[in-house]
Amino acid sequence: TFVGINVAVKHKLGRSDLEGLNVAIQGIGNVGYRLARHLKEAGAKLWVYDVHQDQMDRAVAELGATPASADEILYLPVDVVAPCAMGAVLNDHSIPRLQARIVAGAANNLLEHPEHDAMLRDRGILYAPDFAINAGGIIDVFYERTGATPETVRAHVETIGDTLTEIFNRSDRSERPTGEIANELAEE
């Protein structure tokens, strides 16, 4: 997911670094916390929410994150919203309220309905399709079974950036939503 956020930021914001980038992370469990740690190390400013107070407290204490409420985390005036907990958080109610220019998170099935993909595009929000950006999890599981080196895993995970770049570029060229393009690319 960190690799994907870097690519999305470069594509949408024209930035090659994350220094000073404002990121709201919904869900700061195992995956969300690791993402937050990578973002903090890259210089991003973090806002976090999790249903488990101890997870939020840890992110605040260890990463200097700012706590947010369940009602505000998706709607903060940030550059990136990273939903890393629940699916279907992008819907008729939430999309009109988003202030972020990028949605890129590790949670599965972020869109409540397929048409929400187009709704995000119509609002000028770059959506990194969940099954493309969070592919690192399944890549890691595969390599755990084969006994590959961490370098091999990392090299494969880095290709997520290439996949997302292809999705974003095809979306721009065709003026179609990124989720639609990601589905086509998966079928190819």
Side-chain angles (χ1 to χ4, degrees), residues 70-97:
D71 293 334
E72 69 181 346
I73 191 69
L74 293 177
Y75 313 117
L76 294 169
V78 295
D79 301 300
V80 178
V81 167
C84 295
M86 311 182 313
V89 297
L90 301 175
N91 53 51
D92 290 338
H93 173 73
S94 65
I95 293 172
R97 298 177 58 204

Side-chain angles (χ1 to χ4, degrees), residues 165-182:
T165 297
E166 178 68 17
I167 291 166
F168 298 155
N169 288 339
R170 283 189 190 190
S171 174
D172 288 349
R173 284 192 306 269
S174 67
E175 298 182 2
R176 292 176 23 233
T178 55
E180 185 178 313
I181 299 298

Side-chain angles (χ1 to χ4, degrees), residues 28-29 33 37 53-64:
I28 199 77
Y33 184 83
R37 190 179 71 232
Q53 188 63 44
D54 60 325
Q55 301 283 49
M56 284 182 50
D57 293 344
R58 178 180 176 209
V60 169
E62 296 178 10
L63 303 174

Side-chain angles (χ1 to χ4, degrees), residues 11-184:
H11 186 85
K12 182 70 176 178
L13 305 179
R15 294 181 50 177
S16 58
D17 67 70
L18 305 183
E19 186 67 40
L21 188 79
N22 296 305
V23 182
I25 303 174
Q26 180 193 47
I28 199 77
N30 186 40
V31 173
Y33 184 83
R34 289 177 68 191
L35 173 62
R37 190 179 71 232
H38 287 304
L39 289 166
K40 179 66 176 179
E41 290 169 359
K45 297 176 187 173
L46 307 173
W47 284 259
V48 296
Y49 171 75
D50 196 282
V51 295
H52 301 287
Q53 188 63 44
D54 60 325
Q55 301 283 49
M56 284 182 50
D57 293 344
R58 178 180 176 209
V60 169
E62 296 178 10
L63 303 174
T66 301
S69 72
D71 293 334
E72 69 181 346
I73 191 69
L74 293 177
Y75 313 117
L76 294 169
V78 295
D79 301 300
V80 178
V81 167
C84 295
M86 311 182 313
V89 297
L90 301 175
N91 53 51
D92 290 338
H93 173 73
S94 65
I95 293 172
R97 298 177 58 204
L98 293 173
Q99 295 186 62
R101 295 176 61 197
I102 299 168
V103 175
N108 292 320
N109 305 313
L110 290 176
L111 303 175
E112 185 175 57
H113 300 293
E115 63 268 16
H116 291 126
D117 189 17
M119 217 172 144
L120 288 164
R121 180 171 173 73
D122 291 347
R123 292 228 30 242
I125 299 169
L126 180 62
Y127 166 57
D130 51 74
F131 65 87
I133 196 170
N134 72 17
I138 196 68
I139 292 168
D140 187 55
V141 168
F142 169 77
Y143 283 116
E144 279 181 15
R145 293 174 184 225
T146 67
T149 65
E151 293 76 24
T152 300
V153 176
R154 206 172 0 267
H156 194 162
V157 167
E158 290 290 329
T159 67
I160 291 169
D162 298 334
T163 301
L164 284 168
T165 297
E166 178 68 17
I167 291 166
F168 298 155
N169 288 339
R170 283 189 190 190
S171 174
D172 288 349
R173 284 192 306 269
S174 67
E175 298 182 2
R176 292 176 23 233
T178 55
E180 185 178 313
I181 299 298
N183 286 332
E184 282 181 9

